[in-house]
Amino acid sequence: MRLSSNWTLILVTICMAFFRPGKSFSAVDRTKAPEQAGKQESNPTKAFLLAFGHPVVDEQVARKVRAAQVASIARLTPFIIFANVINTIVIALSFQTFVPVEYLAVWLIGICGFLAFTTHKWLKSRKEPVEFVSRNALNKAVLHATVFSSFWAVVPIAAFVSGDANGIWMASCVTIGMLCGGGFTLATVPQAAFRWVGILYLASLVSLAIGQSSDIWMLFLLLTSYTMVVICSVASAGWLFASHFLAEAELEQRGELIALLLNEFEEKASDWIWEADSAGLLRNISDRFLHASGRTRSELESKRMVDLAYSLDEAEARTALVRLENAFDEQEAFRDIVIGIDVQGEERWWSLAARPVIDEHGSYAGYRGVASDVTETRRANALVSHLAEHDSLTGIGNRSWFLKQAEMRLESQTSFSDDTLTLFLIDLDNFKVVNDTSGHPAGDELLRQVASRFKVIGGEATVLARFGGDEFAALGRFESDEAALAFANDLVSVARKPFRIGRRDFAIGATVGYTRFRDSRDTLDDLMRKADIALYKAKEGGRGRALAFEYEMEREVLERRELESDLREAFEYEKLNVDFQPIVNARSGEVVSSEVLVRWLHPVRGEIPPDTFIPIAEHAGLILPLGNWVLKKACAAAALCPDLESVAVNLSSVQFMDPNLVDHVYAVLEETGFPPERLVLEITESVFLRDFGSAATKLEKLRDLGIKIALDDFGTGYSSLSYLRQYKFDKIKIDKSFVDEIGERSDGLAIISAIIALAHNLGLEVTAEGVERQFQVDALRTLGCDTMQGYYFGKPDSNPMKIAQIRKEDWEDRSPSTAPRNPSDMRSVS
Ligand code: C2E
Ligand code: CA
Ligand code: CA
């Protein structure tokens, strides 16, 4: 049978305590013992070894343990002395009859001297209690036990040697009593106890051997079994003592560590510990807590955490308060409850975590937890979410925030089957012009002013956001269609009032498309699409107005969108063309100029008129490259026709608003080498409707280059005449509608005559458009019109100079005075 390593260790330790009590296991010794090699003792083993003085723990702890061992013996010392005195007296009295006086006297002197020495030591140790004890002190205890037990070992031997029955009886009692009593008294220092027991046991054996009793074996067995019991009890008591002490030391160490950590926590962290009693009143208030609360200790001690949370009247704080109250009522553990507190007028936020404290009787004794001031974090978070949800320029919501809000409102509308929700999309008119002509800071300021005006009319109930660029959106509840329309019109009209930026006034405007929530299956995307369609239609119809979505719009707009993408593709793949329509001199009939007209042959829909696709190109942002392309084509073609005095190119109003228009035109002239004097740019009145003071300069710059400017479609607008005075042109083109009235209305001729006279007075050349009939030609020539254009002379064609075959006699007969000198000029030049 093999003993487990623990048992081996225990036996080895006990044996060592008997024979080499001062010697201890060192690290080296242990590695020599194969069972222990490389092994870390478990706690019970450690305690056992520690009881025997082996250095298995920190020297600091070991010293404390030794001090406790010694102190424990010291506590019993008066009783030991007392028992020894009694024993000594009894032995002296009973032994005097058979032991020679001188021997007895020596023994008495020895033992009394030693008792006196022990008493003196004990008195001294009481005056200065020792906290730490070296290993030497234990050795001294062993020596002490050796000397003392040796005195007592003499007693049984002397009795048995003398053979006095009374003496033997007395000595046996004293020896057994001393063996047991001494062993137990010294139990906290097992080495000393073992030494004591060992010596008395040996003395008893010697006595038995001297006595030669017939019952010697029985006595021997009795003696040995008592001794074994004492040894085991001593070992166990010593081990218990050390275990207890070791546990205590460990607890103390842990306590110190916790205290250290808590100290650290209290001093450095922004958090603090808080406690409340069973009534919820705050207790054990730390300095940090005091400081954070901005209140006095007595004030805090009369309050509950809930009372503190009551101090701030704020929506979020109130919700947290309810949570906190519930947790207290239910006596539940909680965490991350962020309460708001009024700290000397400042709003602070604390995050609380705590758990209920249960006392030793199992009843609720309050709360203990941690609090941290999260005000700064909250502020930072609020800033971050504000930035994430707001438009940094205008301070109103941004697109993603708006969509989130819209989604929420839509959901509640659907669940309450309410249909008052209305979504508005707002697009500023002419914003780009402000940005381009006055710079981005002015544009930014304008957007800010627009946003604040919208905010005023929207009020609290309306959700407002800037989607980016010059696009805004609003969402609100409107009981009736009329109310929604009124709001939309308000948006338009506030944007129409001039905006003052710096020292200038800017007139822009806004176009609004909106939709009412009518179909409960509509998603937010549907609403957005519908409002967008309405906006598209509103813009198409001339901007500066509000339009509600109607179902018919959808098909139309879809078609337009399709066209838009087709046009984009056609332009990209150079599927567009230009035609030229001749303009002839009214007197000579010569082709003097040619108007360039863009053409698009759609693969499915066939020929699409420019009246249709030019606005699409404008809307799609395609007009600038497209216009440039037409200009280039015109210049390149006209450069090849030296007979052509000039070539006329149409400019859309969007093109004209381009701040870089002059540069672009100049670049094309440079590139094609076409002389500016031969270029005529045709613009319509619509250009001036959107003028912000730059039109006149632009016209001037173009004219400075030598380019001629024609006012197209003259007479169709409202203020054609006033523009003639305001801006400088080279030419006007009388619209076809006036030409058509020749011979149809009695005053038709009178009007044209007045226009021509006026233009000539202003030094402008006059071209009549849409001339289709011979009598129109005659009348216009008679009225002194300078040039004519129309199907009569030629339809638009890829050849810049191709004109129709006109019968020579017609031309000459009807208007002999102004007939061309050379009729051959009237023929095609190609
Ligand atoms: P517009 O500048 O007034 O051009 C004259 C329009 O009248 C042309 O129509 C031409 O084909 C048509 N026309 C000319 N003579 C007669 C006639 O005797 N009878 C009739 N019934 N029509 C005649 P088109 O080509 O359809 O162009 C329409 C409008 O599209 C143009 O009106 C012009 O404003 C615009 N446009 C055409 N090409 C361009 C272009 O390259 N750029 C820009 N921005 N606009 C263009
Ligand atoms: Ca034109
Ligand atoms: Ca025209």
mmCIF file of all heavy atoms in Angstrom, residues 578 581 595-599 609-611 614 618 623 626-627 630 649-653 655 682 684 712-713 733 735-736 769-772 789-792 794 796, ligand 1:
data_model
loop_
_atom_site.group_PDB
_atom_site.id
_atom_site.type_symbol
_atom_site.label_atom_id
_atom_site.label_comp_id
_atom_site.label_asym_id
_atom_site.label_seq_id
_atom_site.Cartn_x
_atom_site.Cartn_y
_atom_site.Cartn_z
ATOM 1 N N VAL A 578 -28.295 68.970 -86.339
ATOM 2 C CA VAL A 578 -28.768 70.350 -86.505
ATOM 3 C C VAL A 578 -29.214 70.561 -87.949
ATOM 4 O O VAL A 578 -28.638 69.986 -88.886
ATOM 5 C CB VAL A 578 -27.698 71.408 -86.150
ATOM 6 C CG1 VAL A 578 -27.472 71.468 -84.670
ATOM 7 C CG2 VAL A 578 -26.407 71.172 -86.901
ATOM 8 N N GLN A 581 -32.078 76.882 -91.267
ATOM 9 C CA GLN A 581 -33.178 77.490 -92.013
ATOM 10 C C GLN A 581 -32.711 78.850 -92.536
ATOM 11 O O GLN A 581 -32.270 79.694 -91.756
ATOM 12 C CB GLN A 581 -34.414 77.636 -91.128
ATOM 13 C CG GLN A 581 -35.619 78.045 -91.951
ATOM 14 C CD GLN A 581 -36.880 78.188 -91.120
ATOM 15 O OE1 GLN A 581 -36.825 78.499 -89.927
ATOM 16 N NE2 GLN A 581 -38.025 77.981 -91.757
ATOM 17 N N GLU A 595 -30.647 80.135 -89.599
ATOM 18 C CA GLU A 595 -30.865 79.843 -88.172
ATOM 19 C C GLU A 595 -30.646 78.350 -87.919
ATOM 20 O O GLU A 595 -31.156 77.497 -88.648
ATOM 21 C CB GLU A 595 -32.276 80.247 -87.734
ATOM 22 C CG GLU A 595 -32.486 79.933 -86.259
ATOM 23 C CD GLU A 595 -33.866 80.346 -85.730
ATOM 24 O OE1 GLU A 595 -34.684 80.862 -86.493
ATOM 25 O OE2 GLU A 595 -34.097 80.117 -84.530
ATOM 26 N N VAL A 596 -29.904 78.090 -86.901
ATOM 27 C CA VAL A 596 -29.606 76.692 -86.565
ATOM 28 C C VAL A 596 -30.700 76.164 -85.655
ATOM 29 O O VAL A 596 -31.045 76.787 -84.660
ATOM 30 C CB VAL A 596 -28.250 76.592 -85.826
ATOM 31 C CG1 VAL A 596 -27.853 75.139 -85.665
ATOM 32 C CG2 VAL A 596 -27.189 77.333 -86.572
ATOM 33 N N LEU A 597 -31.237 74.981 -86.010
ATOM 34 C CA LEU A 597 -32.303 74.380 -85.203
ATOM 35 C C LEU A 597 -31.915 72.937 -84.888
ATOM 36 O O LEU A 597 -31.574 72.174 -85.789
ATOM 37 C CB LEU A 597 -33.636 74.440 -85.953
ATOM 38 C CG LEU A 597 -34.116 75.874 -86.245
ATOM 39 C CD1 LEU A 597 -35.100 75.907 -87.402
ATOM 40 C CD2 LEU A 597 -34.732 76.492 -84.996
ATOM 41 N N VAL A 598 -31.952 72.607 -83.634
ATOM 42 C CA VAL A 598 -31.494 71.263 -83.241
ATOM 43 C C VAL A 598 -32.587 70.248 -83.555
ATOM 44 O O VAL A 598 -33.778 70.543 -83.479
ATOM 45 C CB VAL A 598 -31.066 71.269 -81.748
ATOM 46 C CG1 VAL A 598 -32.245 71.514 -80.835
ATOM 47 C CG2 VAL A 598 -30.376 69.958 -81.373
ATOM 48 N N ARG A 599 -32.158 69.019 -83.907
ATOM 49 C CA ARG A 599 -33.098 67.967 -84.298
ATOM 50 C C ARG A 599 -32.813 66.665 -83.546
ATOM 51 O O ARG A 599 -31.656 66.310 -83.317
ATOM 52 C CB ARG A 599 -32.969 67.683 -85.803
ATOM 53 C CG ARG A 599 -33.424 68.824 -86.679
ATOM 54 C CD ARG A 599 -34.941 68.940 -86.613
ATOM 55 N NE ARG A 599 -35.447 70.106 -87.308
ATOM 56 C CZ ARG A 599 -35.817 71.239 -86.695
ATOM 57 N NH1 ARG A 599 -35.690 71.357 -85.397
ATOM 58 N NH2 ARG A 599 -36.319 72.238 -87.386
ATOM 59 N N PRO A 609 -39.985 67.395 -81.486
ATOM 60 C CA PRO A 609 -39.699 68.816 -81.715
ATOM 61 C C PRO A 609 -38.856 69.419 -80.584
ATOM 62 O O PRO A 609 -39.010 69.033 -79.428
ATOM 63 C CB PRO A 609 -41.076 69.470 -81.771
ATOM 64 C CG PRO A 609 -42.007 68.493 -81.143
ATOM 65 C CD PRO A 609 -41.413 67.144 -81.285
ATOM 66 N N PRO A 610 -38.003 70.369 -80.927
ATOM 67 C CA PRO A 610 -37.176 70.995 -79.886
ATOM 68 C C PRO A 610 -38.010 71.683 -78.809
ATOM 69 O O PRO A 610 -37.578 71.765 -77.664
ATOM 70 C CB PRO A 610 -36.314 71.996 -80.645
ATOM 71 C CG PRO A 610 -36.858 72.083 -82.017
ATOM 72 C CD PRO A 610 -37.691 70.877 -82.273
ATOM 73 N N ASP A 611 -39.213 72.156 -79.182
ATOM 74 C CA ASP A 611 -40.078 72.762 -78.156
ATOM 75 C C ASP A 611 -40.336 71.782 -77.012
ATOM 76 O O ASP A 611 -40.573 72.187 -75.877
ATOM 77 C CB ASP A 611 -41.426 73.156 -78.773
ATOM 78 C CG ASP A 611 -41.299 74.413 -79.604
ATOM 79 O OD1 ASP A 611 -40.418 75.227 -79.269
ATOM 80 O OD2 ASP A 611 -42.053 74.562 -80.588
ATOM 81 N N ILE A 614 -36.174 70.614 -75.558
ATOM 82 C CA ILE A 614 -35.289 71.639 -74.971
ATOM 83 C C ILE A 614 -35.626 71.857 -73.476
ATOM 84 O O ILE A 614 -34.718 71.837 -72.632
ATOM 85 C CB ILE A 614 -35.342 72.970 -75.774
ATOM 86 C CG1 ILE A 614 -34.675 72.785 -77.147
ATOM 87 C CG2 ILE A 614 -34.678 74.116 -75.009
ATOM 88 C CD1 ILE A 614 -33.179 72.575 -77.133
ATOM 89 N N GLU A 618 -33.188 71.274 -70.337
ATOM 90 C CA GLU A 618 -32.949 72.289 -69.289
ATOM 91 C C GLU A 618 -33.120 71.656 -67.910
ATOM 92 O O GLU A 618 -32.324 71.863 -67.016
ATOM 93 C CB GLU A 618 -33.959 73.442 -69.438
ATOM 94 C CG GLU A 618 -33.665 74.331 -70.603
ATOM 95 C CD GLU A 618 -34.708 75.450 -70.778
ATOM 96 O OE1 GLU A 618 -35.805 75.334 -70.189
ATOM 97 O OE2 GLU A 618 -34.415 76.402 -71.490
ATOM 98 N N ILE A 623 -28.680 71.204 -70.858
ATOM 99 C CA ILE A 623 -28.757 72.269 -71.852
ATOM 100 C C ILE A 623 -27.402 72.939 -72.117
ATOM 101 O O ILE A 623 -27.124 73.331 -73.256
ATOM 102 C CB ILE A 623 -29.843 73.307 -71.469
ATOM 103 C CG1 ILE A 623 -30.159 74.233 -72.640
ATOM 104 C CG2 ILE A 623 -29.440 74.122 -70.249
ATOM 105 C CD1 ILE A 623 -30.836 73.541 -73.793
ATOM 106 N N LEU A 626 -25.354 70.740 -74.401
ATOM 107 C CA LEU A 626 -26.074 70.627 -75.678
ATOM 108 C C LEU A 626 -25.982 71.945 -76.453
ATOM 109 O O LEU A 626 -25.694 71.962 -77.661
ATOM 110 C CB LEU A 626 -27.537 70.274 -75.382
ATOM 111 C CG LEU A 626 -28.398 69.799 -76.550
ATOM 112 C CD1 LEU A 626 -29.488 68.857 -76.016
ATOM 113 C CD2 LEU A 626 -29.069 70.922 -77.297
ATOM 114 N N GLY A 627 -26.209 73.055 -75.762
ATOM 115 C CA GLY A 627 -26.149 74.360 -76.408
ATOM 116 C C GLY A 627 -24.761 74.624 -76.978
ATOM 117 O O GLY A 627 -24.612 75.163 -78.078
ATOM 118 N N VAL A 630 -24.356 72.697 -80.169
ATOM 119 C CA VAL A 630 -25.063 73.328 -81.295
ATOM 120 C C VAL A 630 -24.253 74.513 -81.816
ATOM 121 O O VAL A 630 -24.061 74.686 -83.027
ATOM 122 C CB VAL A 630 -26.482 73.785 -80.860
ATOM 123 C CG1 VAL A 630 -27.131 74.635 -81.950
ATOM 124 C CG2 VAL A 630 -27.353 72.598 -80.531
ATOM 125 N N VAL A 649 -27.962 81.426 -83.756
ATOM 126 C CA VAL A 649 -28.048 80.294 -82.827
ATOM 127 C C VAL A 649 -28.982 80.676 -81.664
ATOM 128 O O VAL A 649 -28.875 81.778 -81.126
ATOM 129 C CB VAL A 649 -26.645 79.935 -82.268
ATOM 130 C CG1 VAL A 649 -26.739 78.791 -81.270
ATOM 131 C CG2 VAL A 649 -25.701 79.569 -83.393
ATOM 132 N N ASN A 650 -29.896 79.741 -81.327
ATOM 133 C CA ASN A 650 -30.822 80.001 -80.222
ATOM 134 C C ASN A 650 -30.153 79.723 -78.873
ATOM 135 O O ASN A 650 -29.452 78.730 -78.712
ATOM 136 C CB ASN A 650 -32.046 79.102 -80.347
ATOM 137 C CG ASN A 650 -32.891 79.475 -81.530
ATOM 138 O OD1 ASN A 650 -33.546 80.502 -81.545
ATOM 139 N ND2 ASN A 650 -32.840 78.650 -82.581
ATOM 140 N N LEU A 651 -30.406 80.621 -77.945
ATOM 141 C CA LEU A 651 -29.899 80.383 -76.580
ATOM 142 C C LEU A 651 -31.101 80.209 -75.661
ATOM 143 O O LEU A 651 -31.991 81.064 -75.646
ATOM 144 C CB LEU A 651 -29.119 81.600 -76.086
ATOM 145 C CG LEU A 651 -27.690 81.801 -76.525
ATOM 146 C CD1 LEU A 651 -27.065 82.904 -75.656
ATOM 147 C CD2 LEU A 651 -26.865 80.529 -76.359
ATOM 148 N N SER A 652 -31.111 79.141 -74.892
ATOM 149 C CA SER A 652 -32.204 78.972 -73.926
ATOM 150 C C SER A 652 -31.933 79.896 -72.736
ATOM 151 O O SER A 652 -30.793 80.300 -72.506
ATOM 152 C CB SER A 652 -32.289 77.513 -73.486
ATOM 153 O OG SER A 652 -31.878 77.374 -72.161
ATOM 154 N N SER A 653 -32.973 80.195 -71.989
ATOM 155 C CA SER A 653 -32.770 81.140 -70.878
ATOM 156 C C SER A 653 -31.823 80.552 -69.833
ATOM 157 O O SER A 653 -31.085 81.277 -69.181
ATOM 158 C CB SER A 653 -34.100 81.534 -70.259
ATOM 159 O OG SER A 653 -34.774 80.374 -69.839
ATOM 160 N N GLN A 655 -29.307 78.666 -70.464
ATOM 161 C CA GLN A 655 -27.968 78.889 -71.008
ATOM 162 C C GLN A 655 -27.529 80.327 -70.765
ATOM 163 O O GLN A 655 -26.385 80.588 -70.421
ATOM 164 C CB GLN A 655 -28.022 78.685 -72.528
ATOM 165 C CG GLN A 655 -27.398 77.415 -73.024
ATOM 166 C CD GLN A 655 -27.583 77.352 -74.530
ATOM 167 O OE1 GLN A 655 -28.722 77.323 -75.031
ATOM 168 N NE2 GLN A 655 -26.486 77.314 -75.250
ATOM 169 N N GLU A 682 -29.784 84.301 -80.587
ATOM 170 C CA GLU A 682 -31.197 84.643 -80.431
ATOM 171 C C GLU A 682 -31.642 84.321 -79.002
ATOM 172 O O GLU A 682 -31.481 83.186 -78.543
ATOM 173 C CB GLU A 682 -32.047 83.835 -81.423
ATOM 174 C CG GLU A 682 -31.720 84.169 -82.872
ATOM 175 C CD GLU A 682 -32.715 83.536 -83.854
ATOM 176 O OE1 GLU A 682 -33.667 82.873 -83.398
ATOM 177 O OE2 GLU A 682 -32.503 83.690 -85.068
ATOM 178 N N THR A 684 -34.865 84.971 -75.988
ATOM 179 C CA THR A 684 -36.268 85.377 -75.840
ATOM 180 C C THR A 684 -36.431 86.189 -74.559
ATOM 181 O O THR A 684 -35.535 86.207 -73.707
ATOM 182 C CB THR A 684 -37.199 84.142 -75.770
ATOM 183 O OG1 THR A 684 -36.796 83.361 -74.665
ATOM 184 C CG2 THR A 684 -37.139 83.329 -77.044
ATOM 185 N N ASP A 712 -35.788 87.210 -79.972
ATOM 186 C CA ASP A 712 -36.606 86.236 -80.704
ATOM 187 C C ASP A 712 -38.063 86.325 -80.271
ATOM 188 O O ASP A 712 -38.356 86.831 -79.182
ATOM 189 C CB ASP A 712 -36.051 84.829 -80.379
ATOM 190 C CG ASP A 712 -36.382 83.821 -81.460
ATOM 191 O OD1 ASP A 712 -37.151 84.157 -82.379
ATOM 192 O OD2 ASP A 712 -35.869 82.678 -81.364
ATOM 193 N N ASP A 713 -38.942 85.812 -81.090
ATOM 194 C CA ASP A 713 -40.381 85.720 -80.762
ATOM 195 C C ASP A 713 -40.938 87.062 -80.305
ATOM 196 O O ASP A 713 -41.749 87.119 -79.366
ATOM 197 C CB ASP A 713 -40.636 84.670 -79.669
ATOM 198 C CG ASP A 713 -40.131 83.293 -80.061
ATOM 199 O OD1 ASP A 713 -39.914 83.065 -81.275
ATOM 200 O OD2 ASP A 713 -39.955 82.434 -79.166
ATOM 201 N N LYS A 733 -36.904 89.646 -83.963
ATOM 202 C CA LYS A 733 -37.551 88.700 -84.881
ATOM 203 C C LYS A 733 -39.043 88.713 -84.565
ATOM 204 O O LYS A 733 -39.444 88.289 -83.462
ATOM 205 C CB LYS A 733 -36.964 87.306 -84.698
ATOM 206 C CG LYS A 733 -35.522 87.206 -85.176
ATOM 207 C CD LYS A 733 -34.978 85.800 -85.071
ATOM 208 C CE LYS A 733 -35.307 84.975 -86.296
ATOM 209 N NZ LYS A 733 -34.636 83.663 -86.288
ATOM 210 N N ASP A 735 -42.602 87.576 -84.291
ATOM 211 C CA ASP A 735 -43.080 86.197 -84.160
ATOM 212 C C ASP A 735 -44.049 85.840 -85.288
ATOM 213 O O ASP A 735 -44.779 86.682 -85.810
ATOM 214 C CB ASP A 735 -43.768 86.034 -82.809
ATOM 215 C CG ASP A 735 -44.023 84.562 -82.510
ATOM 216 O OD1 ASP A 735 -43.024 83.836 -82.314
ATOM 217 O OD2 ASP A 735 -45.194 84.151 -82.503
ATOM 218 N N LYS A 736 -44.058 84.546 -85.568
ATOM 219 C CA LYS A 736 -44.905 84.010 -86.632
ATOM 220 C C LYS A 736 -46.381 84.387 -86.441
ATOM 221 O O LYS A 736 -47.116 84.619 -87.429
ATOM 222 C CB LYS A 736 -44.748 82.489 -86.677
ATOM 223 C CG LYS A 736 -45.565 81.796 -87.737
ATOM 224 C CD LYS A 736 -45.229 80.307 -87.761
ATOM 225 C CE LYS A 736 -45.973 79.579 -88.872
ATOM 226 N NZ LYS A 736 -47.428 79.598 -88.700
ATOM 227 N N GLU A 769 -40.629 86.174 -88.981
ATOM 228 C CA GLU A 769 -40.528 84.710 -88.901
ATOM 229 C C GLU A 769 -41.774 84.056 -89.472
ATOM 230 O O GLU A 769 -42.859 84.649 -89.451
ATOM 231 C CB GLU A 769 -40.433 84.282 -87.442
ATOM 232 C CG GLU A 769 -39.098 84.496 -86.785
ATOM 233 C CD GLU A 769 -39.088 83.832 -85.399
ATOM 234 O OE1 GLU A 769 -39.951 84.179 -84.569
ATOM 235 O OE2 GLU A 769 -38.215 82.991 -85.169
ATOM 236 N N GLY A 770 -41.650 82.798 -89.879
ATOM 237 C CA GLY A 770 -42.807 81.987 -90.280
ATOM 238 C C GLY A 770 -43.517 82.496 -91.517
ATOM 239 O O GLY A 770 -44.755 82.420 -91.618
ATOM 240 N N VAL A 771 -42.737 83.021 -92.413
ATOM 241 C CA VAL A 771 -43.332 83.518 -93.664
ATOM 242 C C VAL A 771 -43.605 82.320 -94.581
ATOM 243 O O VAL A 771 -42.683 81.602 -94.942
ATOM 244 C CB VAL A 771 -42.399 84.537 -94.362
ATOM 245 C CG1 VAL A 771 -43.031 85.067 -95.637
ATOM 246 C CG2 VAL A 771 -42.017 85.650 -93.414
ATOM 247 N N GLU A 772 -44.909 82.109 -94.900
ATOM 248 C CA GLU A 772 -45.252 80.917 -95.683
ATOM 249 C C GLU A 772 -45.872 81.259 -97.035
ATOM 250 O O GLU A 772 -45.855 80.447 -97.948
ATOM 251 C CB GLU A 772 -46.243 80.055 -94.878
ATOM 252 C CG GLU A 772 -45.637 79.445 -93.625
ATOM 253 C CD GLU A 772 -46.651 78.651 -92.807
ATOM 254 O OE1 GLU A 772 -47.862 78.817 -93.015
ATOM 255 O OE2 GLU A 772 -46.200 77.859 -91.951
ATOM 256 N N GLN A 789 -37.868 84.927 -92.929
ATOM 257 C CA GLN A 789 -37.535 83.512 -92.683
ATOM 258 C C GLN A 789 -38.853 82.756 -92.678
ATOM 259 O O GLN A 789 -39.856 83.224 -92.144
ATOM 260 C CB GLN A 789 -36.850 83.394 -91.321
ATOM 261 C CG GLN A 789 -36.510 81.986 -90.888
ATOM 262 C CD GLN A 789 -35.901 81.983 -89.462
ATOM 263 O OE1 GLN A 789 -35.795 83.041 -88.827
ATOM 264 N NE2 GLN A 789 -35.517 80.809 -88.999
ATOM 265 N N GLY A 790 -38.885 81.605 -93.289
ATOM 266 C CA GLY A 790 -40.127 80.818 -93.261
ATOM 267 C C GLY A 790 -40.121 79.766 -94.343
ATOM 268 O O GLY A 790 -39.199 79.684 -95.162
ATOM 269 N N TYR A 791 -41.147 78.928 -94.303
ATOM 270 C CA TYR A 791 -41.209 77.815 -95.266
ATOM 271 C C TYR A 791 -41.281 78.320 -96.712
ATOM 272 O O TYR A 791 -40.918 77.605 -97.624
ATOM 273 C CB TYR A 791 -42.429 76.941 -94.967
ATOM 274 C CG TYR A 791 -42.330 76.157 -93.652
ATOM 275 C CD1 TYR A 791 -43.417 75.419 -93.202
ATOM 276 C CD2 TYR A 791 -41.159 76.152 -92.921
ATOM 277 C CE1 TYR A 791 -43.345 74.701 -92.025
ATOM 278 C CE2 TYR A 791 -41.083 75.443 -91.729
ATOM 279 C CZ TYR A 791 -42.173 74.722 -91.281
ATOM 280 O OH TYR A 791 -42.088 74.026 -90.132
ATOM 281 N N TYR A 792 -41.758 79.541 -96.856
ATOM 282 C CA TYR A 792 -41.807 80.090 -98.220
ATOM 283 C C TYR A 792 -40.422 80.072 -98.839
ATOM 284 O O TYR A 792 -40.243 79.774 -100.004
ATOM 285 C CB TYR A 792 -42.362 81.518 -98.183
ATOM 286 C CG TYR A 792 -42.454 82.171 -99.534
ATOM 287 C CD1 TYR A 792 -43.543 81.909 -100.385
ATOM 288 C CD2 TYR A 792 -41.452 83.034 -99.984
ATOM 289 C CE1 TYR A 792 -43.615 82.495 -101.640
ATOM 290 C CE2 TYR A 792 -41.517 83.617 -101.233
ATOM 291 C CZ TYR A 792 -42.605 83.347 -102.065
ATOM 292 O OH TYR A 792 -42.658 83.924 -103.320
ATOM 293 N N GLY A 794 -37.740 78.367 -97.384
ATOM 294 C CA GLY A 794 -37.087 77.070 -97.199
ATOM 295 C C GLY A 794 -37.318 76.516 -95.801
ATOM 296 O O GLY A 794 -37.324 77.262 -94.825
ATOM 297 N N PRO A 796 -36.254 74.042 -92.596
ATOM 298 C CA PRO A 796 -34.939 73.708 -92.024
ATOM 299 C C PRO A 796 -34.331 72.506 -92.733
ATOM 300 O O PRO A 796 -35.036 71.530 -92.993
ATOM 301 C CB PRO A 796 -35.253 73.404 -90.568
ATOM 302 C CG PRO A 796 -36.515 74.132 -90.290
ATOM 303 C CD PRO A 796 -37.289 74.104 -91.568
HETATM 304 P P1 C2E B 1 -37.733 79.507 -82.941
HETATM 305 O O1 C2E B 1 -36.408 79.994 -82.539
HETATM 306 O O2 C2E B 1 -38.787 80.532 -82.996
HETATM 307 O O3 C2E B 1 -37.514 78.753 -84.264
HETATM 308 C C1 C2E B 1 -38.359 78.827 -85.333
HETATM 309 C C2 C2E B 1 -39.275 77.684 -85.332
HETATM 310 O O4 C2E B 1 -40.298 77.939 -86.288
HETATM 311 C C3 C2E B 1 -38.624 76.397 -85.803
HETATM 312 O O5 C2E B 1 -39.307 75.325 -85.217
HETATM 313 C C4 C2E B 1 -38.898 76.373 -87.282
HETATM 314 O O6 C2E B 1 -38.882 75.090 -87.855
HETATM 315 C C5 C2E B 1 -40.307 76.935 -87.287
HETATM 316 N N1 C2E B 1 -40.596 77.596 -88.601
HETATM 317 C C6 C2E B 1 -39.809 78.344 -89.374
HETATM 318 N N2 C2E B 1 -40.469 78.784 -90.440
HETATM 319 C C7 C2E B 1 -41.734 78.298 -90.350
HETATM 320 C C8 C2E B 1 -42.900 78.398 -91.156
HETATM 321 O O7 C2E B 1 -42.914 79.042 -92.212
HETATM 322 N N3 C2E B 1 -44.029 77.783 -90.730
HETATM 323 C C9 C2E B 1 -44.039 77.067 -89.553
HETATM 324 N N4 C2E B 1 -45.183 76.489 -89.183
HETATM 325 N N5 C2E B 1 -42.963 76.933 -88.747
HETATM 326 C C10 C2E B 1 -41.820 77.561 -89.165
HETATM 327 P P2 C2E B 1 -38.547 74.251 -84.480
HETATM 328 O O8 C2E B 1 -37.335 73.869 -85.210
HETATM 329 O O9 C2E B 1 -39.515 73.225 -84.101
HETATM 330 O O10 C2E B 1 -38.048 74.987 -83.187
HETATM 331 C C11 C2E B 1 -38.894 75.361 -82.233
HETATM 332 C C12 C2E B 1 -38.203 76.136 -81.167
HETATM 333 O O11 C2E B 1 -37.244 75.348 -80.554
HETATM 334 C C13 C2E B 1 -37.408 77.275 -81.721
HETATM 335 O O12 C2E B 1 -38.207 78.362 -81.953
HETATM 336 C C14 C2E B 1 -36.430 77.523 -80.675
HETATM 337 O O13 C2E B 1 -36.961 78.328 -79.673
HETATM 338 C C15 C2E B 1 -36.222 76.161 -80.112
HETATM 339 N N6 C2E B 1 -34.966 75.651 -80.612
HETATM 340 C C16 C2E B 1 -34.703 75.037 -81.778
HETATM 341 N N7 C2E B 1 -33.405 74.715 -81.861
HETATM 342 C C17 C2E B 1 -32.838 75.181 -80.727
HETATM 343 C C18 C2E B 1 -31.491 75.159 -80.248
HETATM 344 O O14 C2E B 1 -30.557 74.722 -80.876
HETATM 345 N N8 C2E B 1 -31.277 75.746 -79.027
HETATM 346 C C19 C2E B 1 -32.310 76.307 -78.331
HETATM 347 N N9 C2E B 1 -32.020 76.811 -77.154
HETATM 348 N N10 C2E B 1 -33.558 76.307 -78.750
HETATM 349 C C20 C2E B 1 -33.813 75.760 -79.965
#
